[in-house]
Amino acid sequence: MGLAHVIADLMSHGIQVALPISEHLPFDCIAIDESGAMRRLSVKYRTAARGHLEVRLRSSWADREGVHNRLHGRSDYDAFAIYCPEAEACFYLRVEEVDGSSVVLRLAIPRNGQVAGVRMAKDYRGPERLFALPR
């Protein structure tokens, strides 16, 4: 469901989408802007908990041998997209914007009013930011 929402969001912003044939690649789709620039995206579906989204940068899958997890490497994809059903929105982060093995985006300002070091989800809306120059 997350992938479907991300594809719809990308295409509604004039960004084309290519889907890989293999399900064992570290990315879920490729976003292609009007100039032909491409970004490999890992897509995540996350529900909000206590006003925030937390995304661990790993892949999980199950087969007859059980459940498997693999941490993502920095070169596995160029960015990731998060679809949140409560916000009815997609959020996009480039790999250089993430340090560590997880990221937390706040949907609302924390109750204690803290703003330093807080990543507000609204700042990561719009897939055009996938193609913006790093800050």
Side-chain angles (χ1 to χ4, degrees):
M1 187 162 187
L3 182 59
H5 281 277
V6 168
I7 290 170
D9 192 47
L10 290 167
M11 295 190 77
S12 72
H13 286 85
I15 297 171
Q16 296 297 311
V17 177
L19 298 174
I21 294 173
S22 173
E23 65 182 57
H24 298 293
L25 291 170
F27 55 90
D28 299 300
C29 66
I30 301 169
I32 308 164
D33 77 358
E34 59 190 28
S35 74
M38 294 186 233
R39 300 292 183 267
R40 297 167 299 160
L41 297 180
S42 177
V43 177
K44 306 293 183 189
Y45 177 100
R46 290 295 181 273
T47 56
R50 297 182 312 277
H52 71 273
L53 305 171
E54 182 174 5
V55 177
R56 293 198 172 106
L57 308 181
R58 67 179 182 197
S59 294
S60 299
W61 71 95
D63 60 20
R64 68 176 183 253
E65 314 256 335
V67 176
H68 308 276
N69 291 295
R70 184 178 80 79
L71 289 177
H72 292 185
R74 289 270 181 222
S75 63
D76 286 347
Y77 52 85
D78 303 306
F80 65 95
I82 307 162
Y83 172 71
C84 174
E86 291 82 7
E88 295 182 348
C90 298
F91 306 99
Y92 300 90
L93 287 95
R94 299 182 306 271
V95 292
E96 65 269 9
E97 296 176 304
V98 179
D99 44 351
S101 61
S102 68
V103 65
V104 175
L105 298 180
R106 298 285 312 187
L107 295 173
I109 295 172
R111 286 188 287 193
N112 66 4
Q114 178 181 343
V115 291
V118 173
R119 290 179 185 236
M120 297 303 296
K122 66 178 178 57
D123 296 334
Y124 298 91
R125 296 277 315 257
E128 303 86 5
R129 67 183 323 283
L130 296 172
F131 301 96
L133 295 174
R135 295 179 204 172

